[in-house]
Amino acid sequence: MITSEEIKRRLWDGATELRGSMDASRYKDYMLGLMFYKFLSDKTLEAFKVTSGLGNLTESELVEEYTEAKAEYGEQLDKMIQNVLGYYVSPEYLYQTWLKDINSGEFEVQKVTDSLNNFERTIAVSGDTNDFRGLFSSSTLDLTDTALGSNLNERSKSVKALILLFADLNMVALQKGDVLGDAYEYLIGQFAMESGKKAGEFYTPRQVSEVMAQIAAKTPGIKTIYDPTVGSGSLLLTVRKHLDEDTQKSLSYYGQEKNTATYNLTRMNLLLHGVRPEKMTIKNGDTLSQDWPEDPEHANEGVLFDAVVMNPPYSMKNWNRAGLKVSDPRFEVAGVLPPDSKGDFAFLLHGLFHLGQSGTMAIVLPHGVLFRGSSEGEIRERLLKKNYMDTIIGLPSSLFSNTGIPVVVIILKKNRKIDDPVLIIDASNSYIKVGKQNVLQEKDIAKIVDTYVERREENGYSHLATQEEIQNNQYNMNIPRYIEAVDGEIPHDVDAHLLGGIPRKNINGLKVLQSTVPDIMGQSLKEIRSGYAELVKPVDEISSDILSDSRIIEQIKKLESKTKSYVDKHWGILKNGKVDIDSIPLMEEEMLVEIKGILSEFQYIDVYDGYQIVAEIWKNALTHDTEIIALSDFYTAGRTREPNMITKGTGDKKREEQDGWVGSIVPNNLIAKQLYSAELAEIESKNIRIQEIETELSDLVEAAKAEDSDEASALNGVLNEAGEAFENKLFKAELKKAIKGTVEYNLLSKVEKLLADKLALSKAVKEDEKALKEAVQERILTLTNEEIDNLMYEKWFGNTVDAMVALVERSLKTELNTLQMLHNRYADTLSAMDDESRDLESEFEALMNELVVKL
């Protein structure tokens, strides 16, 4: 059973190994193009099998049947498959035929070129089949390119290696549950990270796509979606993912892409994700130079869409090469053309022009569009006066692999009331660092989208800017003008430093403590003067009083009970229900939405921290495991194992070898922990003794290096050249020379025994670990249902209840730490420090006088 994660990893590892020095942005065209041709071949064979009513056949048998049928029925068979798919791949041009030629040693690169060229002639003339035309043009897949190899033999070797990479993948089976589409998107993303600046031509980072797509998907009655700078099509597909099944089926996709290779990539990507050709209208063209799509029945009127999403090139220079005028219908609303040096607003106005009256547009742009002046300032003012700008979302810097600049997502709508405020969200500090990139976590995305939906304000995070505020700021929408960053640093109080005590205003600022346990806070402090108090007991004692208080315990028990019920409910669904691969994303969404609802009942818990806990469970375990369970069932998957493949060697000698077996869903280390605890304890005991021996030996080595000691004279001669360890070979000779009963003999004997004990223990540990590893590997096959239950519950939800309960204490402990900091800050007053300084000076003077008298 191969999962989407394993497919992704295998294909990317293969790509990395095979592409050599070829630029990633170029290599992707070959790899993804051939992967797509395998999909077309597999679909052709599947259509032949179904229409011919054939039963279970091996792939080679099916190819043979297809070849014989083609010889007998000719064009009649072609048309039959063409009617089903809109195309067909002839037997002699199948991907499987290439593989047969490779195995027989008769492979020629020209055969691949002929197959790709022939494909266009097999496409049905009628219907919306233009989506297949030009997919394998020479500009995209030039198999004579010297980048594949300097001569025909080297190019043949490169192409063969690529073909073999997809040999055993059944693309039709993988299309179920979007496994194939996800793998394709993953490869596009990986190539983007490797491509540097060129990545911006075809890829929008997943977390940015998610923010835009989830907002666009909220559009009521969405039937059409348009991306004028479509790239690889990832934005369109991300929106699709957040729509219900019926809406997905009826959705029509539109997009335009200037780069021909990327345009082909878009169409392949949509087709691999199961989007039917008649539901996609993708054009290879320059979005800004010539408006598209135009309404065929009304001149100079663009087609309007329910949703428009786009990630255009940032601040594109010389965008107006076509000499467009402000009279262009797209720019009339602005009353002025964007500057030729920056095309940001040109793309925005194009998208807005094609937005339906009740639609939603989401565009990602550099921050400069919020505050730059001149014609851009005029355009921004006109859009704000018409109240088309609905929401502005500031995102962190370094989200994109090709630029480190911070970006902003702007949401536009045409049906806003003239006095509706503009929602501004500052999510620029909501990220984690992953390598050189900043990454939005699932909780960050959820918070942005929830804030958008609820139109809520939060100090330091979001604000509803009125038309009056915007006018007062002269239509400058720079986010810091509307949202002041929350400074976590509490300002110092001069009086408190001089006279001591914690300022009452700081104590009152501890909102969680003051709201939940005001009486304990009152009892823990005493007034020393107006506006200042001091602690009557240490913070550790206050903390103990608070965390053991009945109100806190009651809240913890309530959350514990609700989390337990939540876990038990979904554990039952996952374990007992038949997991369907197509319903897995819905299961994840339901779990995430439900935990938000549960946590929102608790006043001082960060709902999104709890959301992230569940998101991590899916990321680390459930996404992988549910896919495997869907392919069989819970207990079968629990008793299934697969080869543990490891990579050995480097460069040309790099190879994969099997190192035992691992459970498909049950981790080997968990089996060892739960079912072989005695064996683990024995191994641990021996390892502890080895560490003790190593400590003793280290002490003796140090003693041997010391001067004028018995150990030094006895052991110095048996240290290695570096003087860092004992040399085994030197012991026999030294022991023979040493006289029994002497200090030297006893020390040498001690070291010899320690080394022998360490060697024996290390050997025993190695044997024990090998035996345990083999026992665990065999135990996978015979696990009982009860054992699988216990192991999988521990893997999925083992610490979930504790992690959720800890959220109650987190906010309390944060404020208790603040209280401790305030106490420490003002514990020593300046007058006390002056007194201490004078005392030290007096002591110093007395000491000096004493020294003078002695002299």
Side-chain angles (χ1 to χ4, degrees), residues 621-632:
L622 282 175
T623 299
H624 171 272
D625 294 351
T626 50
E627 195 176 323
I628 291 178
I629 293 167
L631 297 171
S632 54

Side-chain angles (χ1 to χ4, degrees), residues 17 20 27 58 89 95 168 194 209 343 423 428 434 442 453 490 515 639 696 715 788 807 829 849:
E17 186 176 341
Y27 187 76
T58 64
V89 178
Y95 199 98
D168 63 334
E194 292 282 317
S209 289
L423 175 64
S428 60
V434 178
E442 298 306 319
V453 170
I490 298 172
S515 299
R639 281 185 281 270
E696 289 184 61
L715 300 175
I788 293 171
L807 297 177
T829 64
N849 289 333

Side-chain angles (χ1 to χ4, degrees), residues 751-775:
V751 171
E752 185 183 43
K753 184 176 186 313
L754 288 171
L755 289 170
D757 288 349
K758 180 186 173 184
L759 183 64
L761 283 166
S762 298
K763 185 179 178 183
V765 165
K766 194 173 181 180
E767 290 172 353
D768 290 349
E769 287 176 340
K770 182 184 177 185
L772 177 58
K773 180 181 176 181
E774 291 172 353

Side-chain angles (χ1 to χ4, degrees), residues 205-255:
R206 188 198 72 84
Q207 64 263 30
V208 179
S209 289
E210 280 291 329
V211 170
M212 299 169 73
Q214 289 188 35
I215 289 173
K218 304 290 182 188
T219 306
I222 183 171
K223 292 182 180 177
T224 58
I225 184 168
Y226 174 46
D227 186 346
T229 56
V230 74
S232 66
S234 64
L235 257 175
L236 294 176
L237 290 166
T238 309
V239 175
R240 169 182 179 259
K241 185 178 74 174
H242 292 286
L243 300 170
D244 61 58
E245 192 175 347
D246 290 339
T247 306
Q248 286 186 22
K249 288 178 181 176
S250 63
L251 189 67
S252 294
Y253 305 79
Y254 291 77

Side-chain angles (χ1 to χ4, degrees), residues 18-36:
L18 294 176
R19 77 178 171 95
S21 59
M22 189 188 291
D23 182 78
S25 64
R26 185 75 186 93
Y27 187 76
K28 80 176 190 311
D29 298 333
Y30 293 103
M31 182 170 183
L32 297 177
L34 291 177
M35 182 177 173
F36 183 71

Side-chain angles (χ1 to χ4, degrees), residues 1 73 85 132 174 279-280 340 618 628 684 698 791:
M1 291 183 288
Y73 299 105
L85 299 175
F132 291 102
L174 291 176
K279 285 293 182 182
M280 66 171 83
D340 198 41
W618 274 94
I628 291 178
E684 180 62 17
S698 295
L791 289 161

Side-chain angles (χ1 to χ4, degrees), residues 416-428:
R416 283 163 50 81
K417 294 176 184 176
I418 201 67
D419 59 346
D420 281 348
V422 177
L423 175 64
I424 302 172
I425 299 172
D426 183 6
S428 60

Side-chain angles (χ1 to χ4, degrees), residues 185-197:
E185 275 283 297
Y186 171 79
L187 289 173
I188 291 170
Q190 291 298 107
F191 279 121
M193 285 193 286
E194 292 282 317
S195 298
K197 289 186 178 180

